[in-house]
Amino acid sequence: MTSLNQDIKYKLSRLNVLEKLIVVNVVVFVVGLIFSPLLSWLELPSEFSKFIFKPWTLVTYAFTHYGFWHLAFNMLWLYFVARMFLNLFSPKMALNLYFLGAISGGILYLLFFEFLPKGRLGVSLVGASASVMAILIFLCAYMPNQEVRIFTFNIKLWYIGAAFVGLDVLRLFGENGGGYLAHLGGALLGYIYAKQLIKGKDIGKGFEKFMDGFLSIFKFKKKSPLKTVHKNKSKVGGYTKADFNAFSNQKKIDVILDKISKSGYDSLTAEEKDFLFRAGK
């Protein structure tokens, strides 16, 4: 039994942050199959009068699924965008987008039922779709002309994003209009996040600091001596500018991606971020 637990812990430690979110979604789904009444505490209610007594549901609904195919579709897309996203950006930014996308979608859902005709009150919101849309549309807005392979042909990212947004707009007029509006709330957050990041502003930093402070309450690790890291801004990707400029474009991209994998997106200089952005076009 101990060996099995160690094996599970090892495999979980090898997962990236978005793959760990997939595991959480699957675990919640399985628990819901066994103890279905517990899921009612995770759903986002459509009535604001109920939401104020369950404020945590603005986040927890994004980990809650009742149908297998609903879960499978969302997790497959999350896995797809995770591989692309984490090759370029930090795990913390991925978490920012997942949670802020859920919050943005949830708020739009609540507003929909608060200010529009309430014929569908009593229907709760569940699913990770708003969070997945936030990450997908972020990628589409940040590097719209990047091509991805779908089966046997290549397609630009912005085509994929436009198709998803278009379908959700059309489905607003169906039975689950509020749910699809939540998708669009996540998409809007992802689009704004990407456009602001292109300008050099990470709008998720405030949320990231809040979460770091919140999680620090539950940490009791010994403080380690502070270390000061000095960035050498005269270098690009750890190489002199002369050496870096001698590389091929693909080699330059590989060097910068390697730096991101080791130190995170925030460790890049403005010149490195600018080169990566131009390479994605």
Side-chain angles (χ1 to χ4, degrees), residues 32-215:
L33 292 178
I34 303 170
F35 305 104
S36 56
L38 293 177
L39 294 186
S40 63
W41 289 92
L42 305 179
E43 304 168 347
L44 178 63
S46 54
E47 300 98 321
F48 189 79
S49 59
K50 290 183 179 180
F51 164 72
I52 58 177
F53 295 104
K54 301 167 65 178
W56 60 86
T57 58
L58 195 58
V59 170
T60 57
Y61 85 87
F63 295 90
T64 310
H65 300 79
Y66 280 104
F68 172 78
W69 291 112
H70 186 203
L71 171 74
F73 182 80
N74 280 341
M75 295 305 101
L76 283 173
W77 270 105
L78 183 56
Y79 179 75
F80 170 75
V81 298
R83 297 181 67 184
M84 294 184 62
F85 188 93
L86 293 172
N87 278 334
L88 296 170
F89 305 101
S90 69
K92 283 193 174 183
M93 191 178 290
L95 290 175
N96 289 346
L97 276 163
Y98 188 93
F99 285 103
L100 289 175
I103 293 170
S104 178
I107 289 174
L108 209 56
Y109 177 80
L110 287 168
L111 292 175
F112 173 81
F113 284 106
E114 187 67 21
F115 295 106
L116 294 179
K118 300 176 174 59
R120 295 278 296 171
L121 279 178
V123 178
S124 298
L125 180 65
V126 295
S129 301
S131 297
V132 177
M133 281 288 284
I135 301 172
L136 174 62
I137 299 304
F138 172 92
L139 289 171
C140 295
Y142 192 85
M143 44 185 186
N145 295 315
Q146 176 67 38
E147 293 188 343
V148 295
R149 191 159 188 82
I150 305 293
F151 299 114
T152 59
F153 57 92
N154 294 336
I155 185 169
K156 291 182 178 180
L157 269 176
W158 81 266
Y159 291 155
I160 298 174
F164 272 84
V165 170
L167 284 173
D168 283 334
V169 170
L170 291 175
R171 291 186 290 186
L172 282 177
F173 306 99
E175 290 187 4
N176 187 28
Y180 295 120
L181 194 64
H183 296 185
L184 295 175
L188 179 63
L189 182 281
Y191 179 84
I192 294 173
Y193 202 130
K195 291 302 181 182
Q196 289 299 307
L197 190 64
I198 290 170
K199 296 177 182 178
K201 183 179 180 181
D202 185 348
I203 64 173
K205 276 297 181 184
F207 177 78
E208 183 180 313
K209 289 179 181 178
F210 168 77
M211 289 302 296
D212 285 343
F214 177 75
L215 293 175

